[in-house]
């Protein structure tokens, strides 16, 4: 999600219509689809959405390209750079067996594309899979990503143009295998919701808290409550959206993967409530932003 000048932009993985098993991957259930690029929807109110098209297009003719449908493109995030006036997208870029483990970056003059792909990289020569971006109040931006074969989560400071990492990074939750990071800031503290590492299958979420974005991060408890809270409501963290103009209004967003039919994966959005400083995400069959 990106909020820019009164509009919310929702970026997502455009998945192919058939899901198949990659037999070349031992140890875990590597279901995958063709990667169709990144799509975007826009909304003024978070209820009514307009399809803005495929904003990062697949590269159909070059099988070696990161954007070829045989590859993996996941978890796109977009932030706006006030200095360069550009929209910068980062995403998880991988090979069909998930061994490439890179972060990719793309750029555009507008939020709705078409983005120009720049390159993929392993920041500081370290693996990068599940990722998110965070732009802080001072304009500095960070890439957060599961690294070291998903065992340890790295946080890298990006360059001022947001197109590269600076080399400054920290290792967090060392050996704890946390992935699917979703981060937000409240009252000067940083919060991160993560999942455990069980592929497409759901597991228990944990939140973590820090006084500084680069850490030290402290892992706390499961923020989810109610029906299926131990399985994150059959979802996996993907983003936390602060609602602009409303105090303490944050929406926790989860992917609900349909691992054998990935195109039919859906989303769960739930409000975050705070018990003192502890975030609590209770299941609700329905709710409204009001
Ligand atoms: C999950 C990850 C997803 C996807 C999946 C592939 O752990 O969070 O984004 O990469 O593995 O199995």
């Amino acid at each position: 999600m990106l909020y820019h000048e009164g509009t919310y932009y929702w970026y997502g993985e455009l998945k192919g219509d058939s899901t198949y098993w990659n037999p070349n991957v031992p140890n875990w259930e590597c279901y995958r689809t063709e990667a169709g690029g990144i799509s975007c929807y826009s909304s003024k109110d978070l209820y009514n959405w307009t399809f803005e098209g495929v904003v990062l297009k697949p590269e159909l003719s070059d099988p070696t390209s990161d954007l070829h449908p045989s590859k993996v493109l996941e978890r796109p995030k977009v932030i706006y750079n006030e200095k360069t006036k550009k929209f910068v997208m980062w995403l998880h870029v991988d090979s069909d067996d998930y061994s490439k483990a890179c972060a990719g970056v793309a750029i555009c003059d507008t939020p709705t594309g078409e983005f120009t792909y720049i390159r993929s990289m392993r920041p500081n020569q370290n693996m990068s899979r599940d990722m998110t971006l965070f732009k802080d109040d001072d304009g500095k931006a960070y890439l957060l990503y599961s690294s070291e074969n998903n065992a340890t989560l790295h946080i890298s400071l990006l360059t001022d143009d947001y197109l590269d990492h600076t080399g400054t990074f920290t290792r967090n939750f060392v050996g704890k295998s946390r992935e699917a990071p979703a981060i937000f800031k409240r009252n000067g503290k940083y919060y991160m919701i993560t999942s455990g590492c069980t592929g497409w299958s759901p597991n228990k979420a944990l939140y973590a808290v820090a006084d500084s974005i680069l850490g030290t991060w402290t892992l706390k408890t499961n923020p989810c409550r109610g029906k299926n809270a131990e399985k994150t409501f059959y979802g996996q963290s993907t983003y936390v959206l602060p609602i602009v103009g409303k105090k303490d209004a944050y929406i926790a967003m989860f992917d609900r993967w349909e691992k054998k039919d990935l195109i039919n994966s859906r989303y769960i959005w739930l409000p975050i409530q705070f018990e003192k400083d502890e975030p609590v995400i209770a299941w609700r069959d329905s709710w409204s932003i009001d």
Side-chain angles (χ1 to χ4, degrees), residues 79-97:
I79 50 177
Y80 178 65
N81 190 301
E82 322 280 342
K83 286 188 188 140
T84 62
K85 311 272 183 248
K86 303 281 187 191
F87 295 84
V88 178
M89 176 188 291
W90 285 75
L91 70 175
H92 171 192
V93 169
D94 229 315
S95 45
D96 66 343
D97 60 358

Side-chain angles (χ1 to χ4, degrees), residues 48-101:
N48 300 290
W49 293 91
T50 303
F51 182 51
E52 297 285 357
V54 182
V55 299
L56 180 66
K57 298 251 184 326
E59 174 57 76
L60 302 177
S61 56
D62 177 7
T64 66
S65 164
D66 287 345
L67 305 182
H68 189 263
S70 61
K71 305 294 171 53
V72 168
L73 298 178
E74 292 180 350
R75 299 182 178 272
K77 306 289 181 307
V78 176
I79 50 177
Y80 178 65
N81 190 301
E82 322 280 342
K83 286 188 188 140
T84 62
K85 311 272 183 248
K86 303 281 187 191
F87 295 84
V88 178
M89 176 188 291
W90 285 75
L91 70 175
H92 171 192
V93 169
D94 229 315
S95 45
D96 66 343
D97 60 358
Y98 285 77
S99 62
K100 185 177 170 102

Side-chain angles (χ1 to χ4, degrees), residues 150-203:
N150 300 346
T152 297
L153 192 132
H154 288 196
I155 303 178
S156 273
L157 172 66
L158 297 181
T159 51
D160 285 349
D161 60 9
Y162 304 164
L163 298 179
D164 204 349
H165 66 100
T166 56
T168 296
F169 76 104
T170 55
R171 299 172 67 235
N172 305 277
F173 317 135
V174 174
K176 296 235 160 47
S177 297
R178 304 306 303 169
E179 56 180 17
I183 182 171
F184 63 100
K185 189 177 187 181
R186 175 180 179 261
N187 296 342
K189 272 192 192 304
Y190 300 84
Y191 294 83
M192 198 193 320
I193 301 170
T194 57
S195 76
C197 196
T198 54
W200 299 116
S201 303
N203 55 58

Side-chain angles (χ1 to χ4, degrees), residues 6-236:
T7 301
Y8 294 93
Y9 297 92
W10 186 3
Y11 299 92
E13 305 167 13
L14 184 50
K15 293 188 175 298
D17 55 12
S18 71
T19 299
Y20 54 93
W21 170 284
N22 184 346
N24 304 321
V25 183
N27 306 330
W28 63 283
E29 295 181 305
C30 189
Y31 289 105
R32 56 162 279 110
T33 57
E34 304 278 275
I38 302 304
S39 53
C40 177
Y41 292 77
S42 68
S43 175
K44 298 269 184 204
D45 60 6
L46 295 171
Y47 289 102
N48 300 290
W49 293 91
T50 303
F51 182 51
E52 297 285 357
V54 182
V55 299
L56 180 66
K57 298 251 184 326
E59 174 57 76
L60 302 177
S61 56
D62 177 7
T64 66
S65 164
D66 287 345
L67 305 182
H68 189 263
S70 61
K71 305 294 171 53
V72 168
L73 298 178
E74 292 180 350
R75 299 182 178 272
K77 306 289 181 307
V78 176
I79 50 177
Y80 178 65
N81 190 301
E82 322 280 342
K83 286 188 188 140
T84 62
K85 311 272 183 248
K86 303 281 187 191
F87 295 84
V88 178
M89 176 188 291
W90 285 75
L91 70 175
H92 171 192
V93 169
D94 229 315
S95 45
D96 66 343
D97 60 358
Y98 285 77
S99 62
K100 185 177 170 102
C102 281
V105 60
I107 190 168
C108 194
D109 290 333
T110 65
T112 51
E114 181 181 341
F115 279 77
T116 303
Y117 188 66
I118 301 176
R119 68 182 180 119
S120 63
M121 73 196 79
R122 280 189 170 183
N124 308 295
Q125 284 80 54
N126 288 306
M127 289 181 177
S128 176
R129 290 203 181 92
D130 280 10
M131 47 67 67
T132 195
L133 286 179
F134 183 73
K135 182 172 150 184
D136 212 338
D137 304 326
D138 60 3
K140 287 192 163 63
Y142 302 81
L143 180 68
L144 298 86
Y145 47 102
S146 294
S147 191
E148 304 182 32
N149 222 3
N150 300 346
T152 297
L153 192 132
H154 288 196
I155 303 178
S156 273
L157 172 66
L158 297 181
T159 51
D160 285 349
D161 60 9
Y162 304 164
L163 298 179
D164 204 349
H165 66 100
T166 56
T168 296
F169 76 104
T170 55
R171 299 172 67 235
N172 305 277
F173 317 135
V174 174
K176 296 235 160 47
S177 297
R178 304 306 303 169
E179 56 180 17
I183 182 171
F184 63 100
K185 189 177 187 181
R186 175 180 179 261
N187 296 342
K189 272 192 192 304
Y190 300 84
Y191 294 83
M192 198 193 320
I193 301 170
T194 57
S195 76
C197 196
T198 54
W200 299 116
S201 303
N203 55 58
K204 185 170 80 171
L206 293 175
Y207 84 90
V209 63
D211 291 324
S212 150
I213 172 131
L214 288 168
T216 306
W217 284 90
T218 307
L219 266 181
K220 300 283 202 178
T221 57
N222 183 1
C224 301
R225 302 280 189 280
K227 191 166 68 179
N228 303 316
E230 292 302 300
K231 294 277 186 205
T232 317
F233 320 117
Y234 293 104
Q236 185 185 30

